[in-house]
């Protein structure tokens, strides 16, 4: 059975846009690992982990929508084993993001960065901590 290519194209645009937005956040996490700034803001571990998992998921769904758009077929032909592997890789991406956060905090402590308690942000959906290199710059 054929799939409407217009719908597949719309979904492809949506998921590809979400992937591009989330990859920007992932690159921000990798930039923080360079430790080339005096003030570094570190998101919470669960925030970084979910960013990695979401980015990977949007990449996979974009690829699947691209296949649907090009071939014009439904995605029912994909074996369940492939979907299980993709879910497992999303879980691995989640734990990789968590590990990246832990490693960043350890590197900040090793390099002598000090946490600014006055700039700590903790809400129901987001948390972050600011680290500064010279302690005098912390309010």
């Amino acid at each position: 059975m054929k799939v409407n290519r217009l719908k597949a194209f719309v979904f492809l645009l949506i998921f590809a846009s979400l992937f591009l937005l989330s990859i920007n956040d992932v690159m921000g996490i990798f930039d923080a690992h360079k430790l080339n700034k005096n003030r570094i803001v570190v998101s919470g571990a669960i925030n970084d982990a979910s960013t990695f998992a979401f980015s990977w998921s949007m990449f996979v769904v974009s690829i699947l929508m691209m296949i649907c758009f090009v071939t014009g077929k439904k995605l029912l032909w994909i074996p369940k084993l492939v979907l299980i592997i993709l879910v497992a890789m999303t879980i691995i991406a989640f734990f990789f993001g968590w590990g990246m956060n832990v490693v960043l905090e350890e590197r900040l402590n090793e390099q002598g960065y000090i946490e600014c308690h006055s700039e700590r942000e903790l809400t129901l959906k987001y948390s972050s901590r600011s680290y500064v290199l010279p302690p005098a710059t912390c309010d």
Side-chain angles (χ1 to χ4, degrees):
M1 173 181 270
K2 293 282 186 177
V3 172
N4 185 353
R5 288 190 176 180
L6 179 63
K7 289 180 185 177
F9 182 70
V10 170
F11 282 121
L12 175 65
L13 287 178
I14 290 169
F15 292 128
S17 299
L18 289 173
F19 170 69
L20 291 175
L21 288 173
S22 65
I23 200 69
N24 186 28
D25 291 339
V26 169
M27 288 299 139
I29 294 168
F30 283 118
D31 282 343
H33 277 272
K34 294 179 184 176
L35 301 179
N36 57 1
K37 297 179 183 176
N38 290 337
R39 178 180 302 271
I40 296 177
V41 178
V42 179
S43 297
I46 194 90
N47 297 108
D48 285 348
S50 61
T51 298
F52 273 82
F54 182 76
S55 178
W56 171 254
S57 298
M58 289 302 106
F59 175 72
V60 169
V61 172
S62 296
I63 296 297
L64 292 176
M65 286 298 116
M66 177 68 83
I67 292 169
C68 186
F69 175 70
V70 171
T71 63
K73 294 182 180 179
K74 286 187 177 182
L75 294 177
L76 298 176
W77 56 269
I78 295 178
K80 289 182 183 179
L81 179 63
V82 172
L83 295 177
I84 291 170
I85 290 171
L86 294 176
V87 168
M89 291 178 75
T90 301
I91 292 169
I92 290 170
F94 181 85
F95 286 114
F96 180 74
W98 193 292
M100 290 283 291
N101 186 281
V102 170
V103 168
L104 177 60
E105 290 180 7
E106 289 173 358
R107 287 188 64 208
L108 287 171
N109 289 332
E110 289 173 0
Q111 296 295 324
Y113 282 82
I114 297 173
E115 182 180 353
C116 275
H117 294 287
S118 62
E119 295 184 15
R120 181 182 285 184
E121 183 179 352
L122 180 62
T123 63
L124 291 175
K125 295 182 180 180
Y126 179 75
S127 65
S128 68
R129 292 174 307 284
S130 296
Y131 290 88
V132 293
L133 189 54
T137 59
C138 187
D139 296 329

